[in-house]
Amino acid sequence: RVLSLELNKDRDVERIHGSSINTLDIEPVEGRYMLSGGSDGVIVLYDLENLSRKPSYTCKALFSVGRSHPDVHKFSVETVQWYPHDTGMFTSSSFDKTLKIWDTNTLQPADIFHFEGTVYSHHMSPVATNHCLIAVGTKSPKVQLCDLKSGSSSHILQGHRQEVLAVSWSPCHEYILATGSADGKVKLWDVRRASGCLSTLDQHNGEKSKASSETANTAHNGRVNGLCYTNDGLHLLTIGTDDRMRLWNSSTGENTLVNYGKVCNESRKGVKFAVSCGCNPEFAFVPYGSTVAVYTVFTGELITMLRGHYSTVSCCVFQPHFQ
C-alpha cells in the first residue's frame, strides 16, 4: 500500500487553518482523531472517520482553539500531541514560550508551563507507565522535563551547547530520551540518572581522521532539527541542515552508514517527519520542498515523491491502521 501511495481523490480534510500548518498528530488509541497546529496559534481537532459511508467525503473539523479563544497560543504552534493513553487530553507548545495541557472535552487548559525561550518541540513517551514526564526542547540548551503529575518543570538535562530543536522518547524504553540540537549533536539520555547523558552520537563511529582537530562527537555538520525512532525503538533517524538523514542503532549508538542521498532541509526550526508501522520493509516519509519523499529506511533508496501540495511541506503523519 505504501509503494502505491498517491493523492486521494475521494477524501480530503476540511480547511480551517488560514496560515501554514506546522504539526499533526493522530491519537494512538483509535487512530480516529487528528490534531493540527498552525503558525497563527490555532489548533484544530478533526474526525478522520467516514461516518457517511459514501466513497467521497471530507474529514470534518470537530472543534478548534481559534483566535478568539481566551487561551489560544499567541504565536506559532510548533508541536501538538495527544496524551498517549486516552483522547481526553492533548498537549501543544508554541513560540509564545508555553506548553499547554488541554482537556479535550472542555477545550480549556488544565495546566500551562512557561519557559524562558521559544518552544521548538515537546514529546510524551508513548509507553511510559511509571512517569508522566513531557520532554521540552527550547531556545535554551537545557532540556526541560515537565511532570504532569506534580506540575513541576524543575527537572533539567544539561549537555547541549545550543538550542534544542527536537526531542523524542524511545518507543520501547520509557526512561530513554533522544534530543537533537543546533550544536550538531544528538544525545541519548536515561532520565533516571543524575548525570543523564548516556551517549552523544558520532557520525564517524569513533574513526576521526588524525588531521581533524575535532574532538566532540557530532551527528550532523549542521543543526539537528528532526528525530524519529523506528516503531520497534531499535533505530533512530535524524535529519540535519547539512542536507543529510542518518540512521543510528539506538542501543549501540552506531551510525549504520545508510546513504539517503541529499535530503533538502532548510528549515530554521524543527522538521516533523514520520516512519511507517507494520510494513516490510519500513519507510520514512520526509517533507522535501513541496513534496514528501518516501525512503526505504534500511537501504536508503528513494522510492517516490508524493506530490500534491503547492508550497513547502512542514509535517506529515502516518496512519498505521490503514497504512
Side-chain angles (χ1 to χ4, degrees), residues 172-312:
C172 59
H173 299 294
E174 64 175 305
Y175 295 107
I176 303 297
L177 175 71
T179 58
S181 164
D183 61 11
K185 295 180 183 175
V186 172
K187 290 182 179 285
L188 298 178
W189 314 80
D190 181 333
V191 298
R192 293 167 299 186
R193 289 170 44 151
S195 63
C197 190
L198 291 172
S199 62
T200 302
L201 301 184
D202 173 20
Q203 59 183 306
H204 304 294
N205 286 333
E207 296 175 18
K208 296 209 175 60
S209 66
K210 299 285 184 284
S212 165
S213 58
E214 178 115 16
T215 49
N217 294 350
T218 55
H220 288 271
N221 301 325
R223 300 190 306 281
V224 182
N225 57 358
L227 298 172
C228 191
Y229 274 96
T230 54
N231 283 280
D232 57 14
L234 299 180
H235 291 85
L236 176 68
L237 274 167
T238 63
I239 286 184
T241 55
D242 54 359
D243 291 342
R244 289 283 177 261
M245 181 158 73
R246 296 204 163 94
L247 181 72
W248 309 82
N249 178 317
S250 59
S251 53
T252 65
E254 189 180 14
N255 180 359
T256 62
L257 303 175
V258 173
N259 181 7
Y260 299 94
K262 183 179 179 183
V263 182
C264 275
N265 172 7
E266 291 164 4
S267 177
R268 302 287 312 168
K269 46 191 194 176
V271 173
K272 310 285 197 282
F273 65 109
V275 173
S276 65
C277 178
C279 302
N280 186 17
E282 298 290 3
F283 302 95
F285 305 92
V286 184
Y288 196 114
S290 62
T291 69
V292 176
V294 184
Y295 296 93
T296 311
V297 169
F298 295 104
T299 66
E301 186 185 353
L302 175 59
I303 301 290
T304 183
M305 306 284 261
L306 303 177
R307 301 178 195 282
H309 289 288
Y310 296 113
S311 190
T312 310

Side-chain angles (χ1 to χ4, degrees), residues 80-208:
V80 289
Q81 189 193 1
W82 286 101
Y83 180 62
H85 307 296
D86 73 63
T87 53
M89 187 162 78
F90 66 89
T91 55
S92 62
S93 60
S94 162
F95 277 1
D96 67 10
K97 308 178 185 177
T98 65
L99 164 70
K100 298 189 179 187
I101 316 301
W102 298 86
D103 179 320
T104 313
N105 300 309
T106 63
L107 284 191
Q108 300 298 316
D111 208 348
I112 301 178
F113 293 91
H114 296 270
F115 303 93
E116 285 173 13
T118 300
V119 184
Y120 288 106
S121 172
H122 78 269
H123 192 229
M124 270 178 289
S125 166
V127 293
T129 52
N130 295 306
H131 72 76
C132 283
L133 297 173
I134 306 179
V136 185
T138 69
K139 200 106 182 163
S140 156
K142 297 171 184 167
V143 180
Q144 309 260 170
L145 298 178
C146 298
D147 192 333
L148 268 185
K149 283 201 181 103
S150 69
S152 148
S153 58
S154 54
H155 201 117
I156 286 169
L157 304 175
Q158 300 201 47
H160 282 298
R161 298 267 173 86
Q162 292 181 47
E163 52 195 8
V164 178
L165 300 170
V167 295
S168 180
W169 293 95
S170 160
C172 59
H173 299 294
E174 64 175 305
Y175 295 107
I176 303 297
L177 175 71
T179 58
S181 164
D183 61 11
K185 295 180 183 175
V186 172
K187 290 182 179 285
L188 298 178
W189 314 80
D190 181 333
V191 298
R192 293 167 299 186
R193 289 170 44 151
S195 63
C197 190
L198 291 172
S199 62
T200 302
L201 301 184
D202 173 20
Q203 59 183 306
H204 304 294
N205 286 333
E207 296 175 18
K208 296 209 175 60

